[in-house]
């Protein structure tokens, strides 16, 4: 099994991970990893199904909204506008057959975007590391 590749778009504040797993397996692995670490999944949205429901087509795509109120609440209290980026989100898509991408905001981006104290990076970065570790098998 190949290891996932990482691409970071600093200007957009995104980390893009190439998953070595098929699309459905990637989504299930991420959901399991979050659950195993006591991280709440607030919603899982099958964007492809939603598109199909209105007569449009798109590649497989799922948005997972997740978080830990114990970690996220202090971030929001430091700057209430950070609530626009919380709960955290991970976007899983298959832009071309067999190529699965996992995209999320970098923790550093959320901190910078909302002018949050650097110490709050410790509240967000573990989720980013967990997502990456889950894809490395």
């Amino acid at each position: 099994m190949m290891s996932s590749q990482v691409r970071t778009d600093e200007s957009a504040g995104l980390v893009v991970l190439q998953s070595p797993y098929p699309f459905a397996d990637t989504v299930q692995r991420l959901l399991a990893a979050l659950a195993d670490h006591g991280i709440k999944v607030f919603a899982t949205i099958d964007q492809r199904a939603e598109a199909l429901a209105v007569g449009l087509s798109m590649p497989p795509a799922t948005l997972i909204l997740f978080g830990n109120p114990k970690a996220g609440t202090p971030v929001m209290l430091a700057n209430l506008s950070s609530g626009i980026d919380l709960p955290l989100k991970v976007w899983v898509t298959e832009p071309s057959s067999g190529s699965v991408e996992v995209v999320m905001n970098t923790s550093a981006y959320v901190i910078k975007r909302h002018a949050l104290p650097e110490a709050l990076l410790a509240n967000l970065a573990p989720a980013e590391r967990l997502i990456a570790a889950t894809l490395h098998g």
Side-chain angles (χ1 to χ4, degrees), residues 4 6 15 17 21 26-41 64 66-68 88 90 102 104-105 107 121-137:
S4 61
V6 179
V15 61
L17 304 159
Y21 306 106
T26 298
V27 171
Q28 289 309 309
R29 284 174 176 272
L30 291 171
L31 292 171
L34 293 168
D36 289 348
H37 286 81
I39 299 171
K40 184 173 183 168
V41 173
I64 302 169
F66 66 95
N68 177 338
L88 297 173
V90 63
V102 175
M104 64 185 295
N105 286 329
S107 302
L121 190 60
N123 291 43
L124 303 177
E128 187 177 335
R129 289 191 300 268
L130 174 62
I131 299 297
T134 300
L135 299 178
H136 285 107

Side-chain angles (χ1 to χ4, degrees), residues 14 17 34 38 62 68 75 77 85-86 96 120 124 129 136:
L14 298 174
L17 304 159
L34 293 168
T62 296
N68 177 338
V75 174
L77 290 174
D85 289 314
L86 299 172
S96 60
L120 288 174
L124 303 177
R129 289 191 300 268
H136 285 107

Side-chain angles (χ1 to χ4, degrees), residues 8-27:
T8 303
D9 182 344
E10 299 281 333
S11 64
L14 298 174
V15 61
V16 180
L17 304 159
Q18 293 296 318
S19 175
Y21 306 106
F23 177 82
D25 289 352
T26 298
V27 171

Side-chain angles (χ1 to χ4, degrees), residues 32-82:
L34 293 168
D36 289 348
H37 286 81
I39 299 171
K40 184 173 183 168
V41 173
F42 295 102
T44 302
I45 304 167
D46 182 338
Q47 299 285 32
R48 182 183 201 183
E50 295 300 324
L52 290 171
V54 295
L56 300 172
S57 66
M58 70 180 295
T62 296
L63 180 66
I64 302 169
L65 284 79
F66 66 95
N68 177 338
K70 198 172 216 177
T73 302
V75 174
M76 287 186 274
L77 290 174
N79 184 344
L80 290 174
S81 72
S82 66

